[in-house]
Amino acid sequence: MASTDTTVKPTSPENKQQAGSSRIGVVVDVCLRFLLFATALAAVIIMVTSKQTKLIPVAPGYSIPFVAKFNQSPAFIYFVAALSVACVYSVISGVLSALVLMKPGGNSATVRFQFVILLDALLLGIVTAATGAAGGVGYIGYKGNSHSQWHKICDNFGSYCSYFLSLISSITLLLLVWLSVYVLSKKISTR
């Protein structure tokens, strides 16, 4: 018959404080992942459903309908794809973070290390690049470029040029990376 050791290690005030701060870090992590999900999903929905038609006059009494949709620009397609990946990733990583939160006495250092090194930082680069690309195309659409003879079109399509939610997603991912690095550095310094 196998024996099991049921002795309980004494807990010091330092261990309790470390466990409490680690638990707060996981709660903040879950909240930030929910914020990432909400902003990425809202940005994708707004971009995909934004289809505007404007009548452009070409001759007196004759106008041509001009339709603006996200899939007319590769930068906007990349924007939607990157934020869709961020949305799905936030659900998966949020569930994993919540499981770490519910696990009694669990060590989240391995999970946090994998999030920060492999996925959070990678996704931060992808979402930031997509936001920058879509923002650049949006800026040219809003202001035009007289040197290239690109005329502004966003004065005709006002609500089509909005990227605020993706900026919040990028900032949220940056905060997740910082939080993970901070928690890992605390765990390393206490060893």
Side-chain angles (χ1 to χ4, degrees):
M1 198 181 218
S3 68
T4 57
D5 186 18
T6 59
T7 59
V8 177
K9 294 180 183 177
T11 58
S12 67
E14 293 172 354
N15 289 342
K16 287 182 181 179
Q17 183 181 12
Q18 181 184 4
S21 67
S22 175
R23 196 155 189 80
I24 290 171
V26 175
V27 169
V28 171
D29 185 76
V30 170
C31 291
L32 285 174
R33 291 184 191 284
F34 177 75
L35 178 64
L36 173 63
F37 170 74
T39 56
L41 181 64
V44 167
I45 289 171
I46 289 170
M47 184 60 87
V48 169
T49 60
S50 65
K51 174 184 170 186
Q52 296 181 0
T53 303
K54 182 80 172 183
L55 292 174
I56 307 293
V58 291
Y62 185 69
S63 298
I64 308 173
F66 184 73
V67 178
K69 297 186 286 188
F70 86 96
N71 60 357
Q72 293 170 335
S73 169
F76 294 150
I77 293 170
Y78 175 53
F79 177 82
V80 169
L83 285 172
S84 297
V85 168
C87 189
V88 170
Y89 169 73
S90 67
V91 170
I92 294 168
S93 62
V95 167
L96 290 175
S97 291
L99 289 175
V100 167
L101 179 64
M102 290 187 286
K103 184 177 177 184
N107 185 3
S108 65
T110 305
V111 173
R112 189 169 302 279
F113 178 74
Q114 291 169 351
F115 279 155
V116 70
I117 298 300
L118 300 176
L119 301 173
D120 284 347
L122 175 67
L123 197 61
L124 171 63
I126 291 170
V127 169
T128 304
T131 302
V137 170
Y139 181 79
I140 289 175
Y142 182 68
K143 294 284 187 176
N145 187 336
S146 61
H147 301 292
S148 304
Q149 297 302 316
W150 291 342
H151 303 288
K152 58 184 178 178
I153 63 165
C154 284
D155 55 343
N156 295 325
F157 301 98
S159 64
Y160 191 71
C161 299
S162 173
Y163 308 103
F164 181 70
L165 290 171
S166 65
L167 287 173
I168 293 175
S169 296
S170 297
I171 292 168
T172 303
L173 280 164
L174 180 64
L175 291 174
L176 282 167
V177 170
W178 284 351
L179 176 68
S180 297
V181 168
Y182 175 75
V183 170
L184 284 173
S185 69
K186 286 291 189 184
K187 285 188 183 285
I188 290 171
S189 67
T190 58
R191 286 183 184 187

